[in-house]
Amino acid sequence: MANGTVQNKEKFLNQVAKSLGRSRQTSPVSRPNWKHQPQWDVFKDLTQDELLDVLKEQCTRIHTQVALATTETLTDVLTEVVNGFQAKSIVSWADPRLEEYGVDQYYKQADAKGIDVHIWDTNAGEENIRIAEKADIGLTFADLTLAESGTVVLLSDNGKGRSVSLLPKYYVALIPKSTIVPRMTQATSYIHKLQEETGKVPSCINFISGPSNSADIEMNLVVGVHGPIKATYIIIEDK
C-alpha cells in the first residue's frame, strides 16, 4: 500500500455507522457558538507582567525554581543554574532560538569549561536518546507557557526531541516572556489555529508542569519519580 493511501475507508465507516444504529454523517459538523464561555475570562485583563507574577506564584506550588534574565544576562543566569545543579553534561534542542538569544555562545563557554553539550542531531537517530538518558540537564525553549498552572508547552519538531525534557536528571526551560498566556484555553486555541493554517499539528505536544511527581500512594506527594527530579524556568525578557 502506497504511503498516505487509505484502503476500504467507506466500507469501514459504513460498518461503524451501522453498528451505531444510524446512517452515515457526511456533512461537516458545525462548532456550537456557546452563549457563555467563562474559560476566556480567567486572567483576561492581566498584563504580561501580571501574568508573570501569577506564573511565579504557581511555580512555588509545583516545586519549580524561577530565574529572570535578559538577553544580556542570560549567559550569567545559565551559568548560575548549571553550576547550581553541579551539572557536567547538557542535552539541548536544536532550536533557532539558541542563536537568537545567545544560548549558543553560552554553550561554547560551557564546552570550554569541560561541560559536555550535545545538540539534538536528527541524523544521529537513537544515539540522541542514549545521550539524553545520561545527561545531567535537558534544555529546551517553551513554545507557550501557561501562567495558571505553571506549565510549559513544547511542540516537537525536527531537532526538538521529546527525550530532552524527559530523560535527563534536571530540566531547564527557557521561557521568552511573550510566550506566557493565561491558561490551557489559549494553548488549545493556538494549536487549533496551527492546524487550520498548516493542515497539521506537531507529532507530539508536551505539557510540563515542573519536575515529575506523583501522589498515587495515599496522597503523599513524591517529586522526581519518573522524569527530571528538579526543574528551573528561566524567564527571558524579549528583545
Side-chain angles (χ1 to χ4, degrees):
M1 183 172 65
N3 184 34
T5 62
V6 178
Q7 302 293 327
N8 300 315
K9 174 182 175 181
E10 295 301 317
K11 181 180 179 180
F12 173 78
L13 293 177
N14 287 334
Q15 181 60 38
V16 171
K18 181 180 178 182
S19 299
L20 292 173
R22 60 170 176 77
S23 59
R24 279 276 304 280
Q25 297 180 4
T26 57
S27 59
V29 177
S30 299
R31 176 176 298 189
N33 184 20
W34 303 110
K35 179 179 179 180
H36 300 290
Q37 301 186 53
Q39 69 272 23
W40 292 101
D41 295 332
V42 181
F43 303 146
K44 71 173 185 177
D45 296 323
L46 296 193
T47 66
Q48 211 65 19
D49 286 333
E50 289 170 332
L51 286 174
L52 174 57
D53 289 338
V54 173
L55 173 64
K56 289 163 62 178
E57 175 62 26
Q58 179 61 21
C59 284
T60 66
R61 302 188 178 101
I62 61 171
H63 311 281
T64 300
Q65 298 176 326
V66 174
L68 304 178
T70 65
T71 52
E72 289 75 21
T73 65
L74 182 55
T75 293
D76 292 335
V77 173
L78 274 169
T79 299
E80 183 177 347
V81 170
V82 172
N83 289 346
F85 286 137
Q86 298 181 328
K88 299 299 181 183
S89 57
I90 299 171
V91 61
S92 168
W93 272 1
D95 192 310
R97 290 171 289 185
L98 295 177
E99 182 176 355
E100 179 184 350
Y101 286 88
V103 182
D104 58 335
Q105 297 304 311
Y106 165 75
Y107 283 162
K108 292 178 181 178
Q109 295 178 24
D111 185 66
K113 295 178 180 178
I115 298 175
D116 181 61
V117 178
H118 175 75
I119 308 296
W120 193 274
D121 181 1
T122 55
N123 295 319
E126 292 191 2
E127 181 63 20
N128 292 295
I129 299 175
R130 287 188 283 270
I131 292 172
E133 288 176 334
K134 299 176 181 178
D136 291 325
I137 290 177
L139 187 147
T140 76
F141 273 87
D143 294 299
L144 288 173
T145 311
L146 315 185
E148 182 183 51
S149 57
T151 302
V152 292
V153 183
L154 310 183
L155 308 180
S156 294
D157 200 350
N158 288 334
K160 299 179 179 179
R162 294 171 291 176
S163 301
V164 174
S165 61
L166 175 64
L167 298 181
K169 186 183 299 183
Y170 309 113
Y171 173 57
V172 175
L174 301 181
I175 301 176
K177 190 175 175 181
S178 61
T179 71
I180 303 175
V181 297
R183 65 201 306 264
M184 182 67 76
T185 305
Q186 286 74 25
T188 54
S189 177
Y190 175 84
I191 294 166
H192 179 72
K193 183 179 179 181
L194 190 66
Q195 193 279 331
E196 286 186 325
E197 292 178 348
T198 66
K200 58 182 180 180
V201 294
S203 60
C204 180
I205 301 173
N206 287 326
F207 295 86
I208 301 174
S209 303
S212 62
N213 63 83
S214 174
D216 290 344
I217 302 175
E218 297 187 5
M219 297 302 291
N220 291 321
L221 181 66
V222 179
V223 178
V225 290
H226 45 59
I229 60 177
K230 291 184 180 180
T232 296
Y233 294 169
I234 301 177
I235 290 93
I236 312 167
E237 289 284 350
D238 293 271
K239 295 182 177 181

